[in-house]
Amino acid sequence: MRSWTGPAVAPVAGSAQPLRLHDTSTQVVRPVPRGGTVGLYVCGITPYDTTHLGHAATYVTFDLINRLLLDAGEQVHYVQNITDVDDPLFERAARDGVDWRELGTAEVASFRKDMEALSILPPRDYVGAIESVDEVVEMVGQLLENGSAYQLTEHDSPDGYEDVYFRHDASGNFGYESNYPVDVMNEFFAERGGDPDREGKRHPLDALVWRAARPGEPSWHAPWGDGRPGWHIECSAIARNRLGMGFAIQGGGDDLIFPHHEFSAAHAEAAGGGGRFAQLYVHTGMIGLDGVKMSKSLGNLVRVRELVAEGIDPAAIRVGLYVGHYRSARSWSAEILEEAQARLALWRGAISAAEPAPAAPAIELVRAALADDLDTPTALRHVDAWARVTNGVDSVTGGDDAAGTGRAVPRTEDGAEMASALINLMGVGV
Ligand code: 5CA
Ligand code: ZN
């Protein structure tokens, strides 16, 4: 699938610090492995009702990681999927009387525009489930062959459909990614797309890897019977085939910790190839609206394209999302956006001031905060402090905005250096 168009990234004066991130599997903040190419896989959208601010927060977080790795001189191979074959998409298409493929295509087009508006660097590989069915067929074949998966038969499947299931413990390391106790696994499995009560399965937690063709559902050919991919194996196959086993970072929202990332890892590990799926599992907290989780099913969405259509500066959306730490569950509100706009005005005033405070020490502090598991709240405070010193305590000048564009025009090297740090490290265009 075509990715989107990304802004060019320029080097920032000074030097980067090695990035450390919280890893869900070991539950500690660890250095991101360096050297060679850093493999980054981030779970992409299911293309309906995008892009809400929860999605935006997740992709902004991984964009920040991508930018910090680039700043540290690393080569990054960024892969993202699109779950363009899945029940929620079919249900929405049926509800709205549109073809599910057309809905997916339109939503991906709108997602690309939103990513561009937010200055998010594009993945090198942007891969849909439809495009990767052959890869899933290959992996399911490997799992069937080595006994990690089994197919229901006419005899043990009550509805006669010969679906293929993964033995949940086939990798020998089940549970290492989430560390969840079994009662939590059971609860999340049932809530998040699993089918614990499906008769014929050998264990309630066994996960679907190939759903046999049903009337009215799309299907593809496989040697054991036509059907379509299960959800987790889509990400296993797309990631393994492009990044290899043991790639650096598997990422997504923390609603994906279990079952999705546990099984994505277990499928690939059981299929062979050796070692762990990913070295670090990085998860973002859920964004809510005024205290309630923002989700497509609840319908309490604030969409990026609606804010952009209202004339909201996308840089203010990023700054608003940076106000909280990426791992914390947090709420979006009109006040957060207003404060972010005021902050940008403060920064722009300083950037276009005649005599800004020296930028280098402030940029060093920003880099140190970001390298420490993306401490964006602290990073923002360092930029504020620099801007306040420049503007004079508590006197916000409002910026040099002669053209009325909202963009600051740096007059000095220090102003230009800070502007460069904000756009290149944090994707915040001033
Ligand atoms: N297609 C699957 C992943 S393979 C999926 O979860 N799609 S999604 O459209 O539901 O979500 C896309 C990404 O946004 C996922 O990484 C998900 O964890 C994240 N996400 C969804 N809702 C929120 C939210 N309210 N706050 C933060 N991140 C969210
Ligand atoms: Zn995924």
Side-chain angles (χ1 to χ4, degrees):
M1 190 87 66
R2 188 170 60 78
S3 195
W4 55 90
T5 311
V9 185
V12 177
S15 56
Q17 315 217 5
L19 178 60
R20 284 169 297 121
L21 293 172
H22 182 268
D23 165 39
T24 303
S25 72
T26 51
Q27 302 180 311
V28 292
V29 175
R30 291 172 46 200
V32 176
R34 309 187 61 180
T37 296
V38 178
L40 172 63
Y41 184 89
V42 181
C43 282
I45 54 164
T46 304
Y48 72 101
D49 249 341
T50 57
T51 310
H52 64 63
L53 284 183
H55 300 142
T58 291
Y59 298 115
V60 161
T61 298
F62 289 98
D63 185 57
L64 183 58
I65 291 173
N66 191 3
R67 287 171 178 278
L68 294 174
L69 290 168
L70 294 172
D71 183 46
E74 304 293 341
Q75 304 283 330
V76 182
H77 186 168
Y78 181 9
V79 181
Q80 191 179 123
N81 71 306
I82 309 149
T83 309
D84 52 9
V85 180
D86 204 7
D87 294 326
L89 177 64
F90 303 153
E91 284 158 20
R92 178 57 61 97
R95 190 198 78 175
D96 297 350
V98 293
D99 181 79
W100 61 275
R101 289 176 207 80
E102 279 168 26
L103 174 63
T105 305
E107 288 286 320
V108 170
S110 132
F111 178 72
R112 280 194 195 100
K113 269 197 199 154
D114 293 335
M115 294 298 102
E116 285 171 2
L118 290 167
S119 301
I120 291 178
L121 303 177
R124 190 194 298 181
D125 299 311
Y126 191 43
V127 190
I130 297 174
E131 297 172 308
S132 52
V133 171
D134 290 353
E135 299 177 41
V136 168
V137 169
E138 184 196 19
M139 193 179 264
V140 174
Q142 289 162 344
L143 294 173
L144 281 168
E145 201 171 324
N146 73 17
S148 300
Y150 57 92
Q151 184 168 26
L152 299 191
T153 62
E154 220 179 316
H155 176 68
D156 54 20
S157 169
D159 55 15
Y161 291 116
E162 298 179 356
D163 301 327
V164 181
Y165 282 91
F166 176 78
R167 287 197 298 108
H168 69 289
D169 55 359
S171 68
N173 204 8
F174 185 68
Y176 85 88
E177 182 271 337
S178 65
N179 295 290
Y180 287 156
V182 76
D183 56 325
V184 176
M185 287 186 180
N186 286 331
E187 183 191 328
F188 287 164
F189 190 79
E191 274 175 16
R192 299 171 178 171
D195 52 358
D197 302 324
R198 168 83 159 120
E199 272 178 60
K201 274 169 60 166
R202 297 183 193 162
H203 189 282
L205 285 176
D206 288 353
L208 181 75
V209 286
W210 188 258
R211 179 173 160 91
R214 266 81 164 167
E217 292 185 12
S219 62
W220 288 264
H221 178 68
W224 52 86
D226 291 1
R228 62 177 160 105
W231 172 29
H232 319 304
I233 197 153
E234 163 194 341
C235 289
S236 310
I238 293 173
R240 181 194 70 175
N241 293 347
R242 285 159 189 79
L243 301 174
M245 293 296 283
F247 62 91
I249 301 168
Q250 157 75 315
D254 65 12
D255 57 336
L256 301 183
I257 292 175
F258 192 90
H260 186 52
H261 287 176
E262 193 74 65
F263 278 107
S264 298
H267 294 337
E269 288 160 11
R276 275 167 73 120
F277 183 52
Q279 300 189 47
L280 275 76
Y281 296 86
V282 175
H283 294 106
T284 56
M286 290 293 107
I287 298 289
L289 181 63
D290 302 321
V292 181
K293 181 191 159 180
M294 198 177 285
S295 77
K296 294 182 278 206
S297 49
L298 290 175
N300 60 340
L301 307 180
V302 177
R303 293 184 189 81
V304 171
R305 65 169 178 277
E306 289 161 357
L307 293 177
V308 171
E310 281 171 36
I312 304 295
D313 182 349
I317 301 176
R318 280 188 85 129
V319 170
L321 293 170
Y322 287 149
V323 167
H325 188 252
Y326 78 96
R327 282 199 280 128
S328 60
R330 56 208 197 277
S331 255
W332 183 259
S333 65
E335 294 75 57
I336 288 180
L337 184 58
E338 275 167 33
E339 278 169 29
Q341 286 165 323
R343 214 165 198 154
L344 272 173
L346 172 78
W347 296 356
R348 284 174 177 151
I351 282 163
S352 53
E355 285 182 57
I363 294 172
E364 201 176 316
L365 291 169
V366 166
R367 275 196 173 112
L370 296 176
D372 179 15
D373 195 29
L374 313 181
D375 185 356
T376 54
T378 300
L380 298 191
R381 282 195 289 271
H382 288 306
V383 184
D384 290 346
W386 171 83
R388 287 218 177 81
V389 171
T390 296
N391 292 343
V393 179
D394 292 335
S395 84
V396 179
T397 63
D400 183 349
D401 184 20
T405 57
R407 295 280 173 239
V409 183
R411 294 185 192 154
T412 63
E413 211 170 286
D414 285 297
E417 271 179 25
M418 183 54 83
S420 159
L422 287 169
I423 184 62
N424 292 301
L425 302 181
M426 299 184 75
V428 173
V430 284

